[in-house]
Amino acid sequence: MKLLVINGPNLNMLGIREPNVYGKTTYLELESFIKGICVQEDIQVEVMQSNHEGVIVDTIQAAYQVFDGIVINPAAFTHTSIAILDALKAVGIPTVEVHLSNIYEREEFRHISYISNYCIKTIYGEGIQGYQKAIMLLKETVSS
């Protein structure tokens, strides 16, 4: 299985940005956590982060017929990006959406997720453990 993990804007600031909301884990620690799970599960993984919507759209399009699953934390683009939603629909790759915080217990504008319209599941409020759940769900989905 080949998995793509996409992280959206400001996730490169993990450990610095609002640790009371996002925790103290740094982005490098998150990447290491994801790669460690994938090694244990015999999954090939590529992890990327971008603050730019177009780069994320290009990355999703480039994943077509290359990756078996996508884990995406679109961050703020969750609530605004129909372009990312359309890119996911276009490639048709099974996708799980992850959010570190519980977006439904935060500001009302964070309750809207365009991305979830395509995803198998949205996992939120579980910190970095949410990525592990997403990876395991995709492994199960792709294997069945």
Side-chain angles (χ1 to χ4, degrees):
M1 176 179 169
K2 199 166 178 183
L3 179 68
L4 175 62
V5 179
I6 299 172
N7 290 295
N10 298 309
L11 285 165
N12 57 316
M13 299 298 288
L14 284 178
I16 299 167
R17 177 187 178 212
E18 300 175 85
N20 58 321
V21 175
Y22 299 104
K24 294 183 179 177
T25 302
T26 67
Y27 183 73
L28 289 177
E29 290 168 336
L30 173 63
E31 258 191 348
S32 177
F33 177 74
I34 292 166
K35 290 177 179 175
I37 293 164
C38 289
V39 166
Q40 286 177 344
E41 297 297 325
D42 195 29
I43 298 170
Q44 294 179 44
V45 67
E46 185 174 313
V47 182
M48 68 84 68
Q49 185 278 326
S50 179
N51 294 322
H52 305 279
E53 184 178 27
V55 171
I56 293 171
V57 169
D58 289 344
T59 300
I60 292 167
Q61 290 178 1
Y64 180 67
Q65 295 186 331
V66 175
F67 290 93
D68 303 306
I70 296 174
V71 173
I72 187 166
N73 182 343
F77 291 139
T78 302
H79 323 293
T80 61
S81 183
I82 295 169
I84 292 173
L85 170 62
D86 286 348
L88 290 169
K89 286 180 173 179
V91 298
I93 300 170
T95 301
V96 176
E97 178 184 16
V98 173
H99 297 282
L100 296 168
S101 67
N102 184 343
I103 58 176
Y104 299 104
E105 291 181 351
R106 299 182 62 197
E107 302 94 329
E108 194 169 321
F109 65 85
R110 296 186 195 276
H111 299 180
I112 297 166
S113 171
Y114 289 107
I115 310 307
S116 68
N117 287 301
Y118 174 76
C119 295
I120 296 168
K121 186 170 183 160
T122 300
I123 298 169
Y124 54 89
E126 299 193 26
I128 66 170
Q129 300 300 323
Y131 284 83
Q132 182 170 18
K133 282 190 171 182
I135 292 165
M136 299 311 292
L137 178 59
L138 281 169
K139 182 177 180 181
E140 184 180 306
T141 300
V142 170
S143 299
S144 60

